[in-house]
Amino acid sequence: MQFRYHDLGVDPEKVRHVVEREIRVLERRLSGLPADLPQLDITIEHHQRSDSYTARLLLRVPDRDLVARGAGQNPAQALRDAFSDLYDAIERHLSKLHREDAIRRARQHPGTVKPPVPPEEGS
């Protein structure tokens, strides 16, 4: 996995341990995706007026860009919030890839699923 770090007023050393830990977790969660190399852009911004931080994550995976945001009173809290949001987005993306929603609906409500159409025979 490649990742780029963009900061706007935040010392990278303050969040290095959070980023390293979350990237290890992220790599495990992305093991179900195709082998193309995912890219993660991390942006942290410090808001002087409110003395708060915003983290924005952009994960580029095959056929999709997943965006997550987080906020907090310190950069580490904002990053953890953003990574939590990103994990939810990854789960939704993986379930769409595996059509889990359609399978789950078919199991819960078997009468709503259309039966397969038999192939037409040539005349």
Side-chain angles (χ1 to χ4, degrees):
M1 168 179 289
Q2 294 179 342
F3 75 94
R4 297 184 293 185
Y5 177 75
H6 312 277
D7 69 89
L8 303 172
V10 177
D11 181 17
E13 290 301 317
K14 290 183 179 178
V15 294
R16 178 185 304 247
H17 67 283
V18 174
V19 170
E20 289 174 354
R21 181 177 53 88
E22 295 294 345
I23 286 181
R24 285 192 302 271
V25 172
L26 184 61
E27 286 175 337
R28 284 193 305 266
R29 290 192 181 215
L30 293 177
S31 63
L33 290 177
D36 291 346
L37 187 65
Q39 181 179 354
L40 176 67
D41 288 329
I42 302 170
T43 305
I44 301 176
E45 185 174 1
H46 180 231
H47 305 286
Q48 299 261 341
R49 185 173 268 180
S50 62
D51 195 30
S52 63
Y53 295 85
T54 302
R56 181 177 180 272
L57 306 175
L58 172 63
L59 179 65
R60 297 175 189 271
V61 294
D63 300 330
R64 200 90 199 250
D65 288 349
L66 303 174
V67 178
R69 299 182 197 285
Q73 293 303 313
N74 58 55
Q77 182 182 14
L79 269 173
R80 284 191 295 270
D81 189 33
F83 272 102
S84 176
D85 190 31
L86 183 63
Y87 298 146
D88 292 341
I90 290 170
E91 292 303 318
R92 286 191 302 272
H93 179 62
L94 288 176
S95 85
K96 284 180 184 177
L97 283 179
H98 299 295
R99 295 182 37 105
E100 290 177 0
D101 290 335
I103 294 169
R104 188 178 309 115
R105 275 194 306 273
R107 286 182 184 153
Q108 291 175 348
H109 308 285
T112 61
V113 178
K114 295 180 183 177
V117 178
E120 293 182 19
E121 293 182 23
S123 46

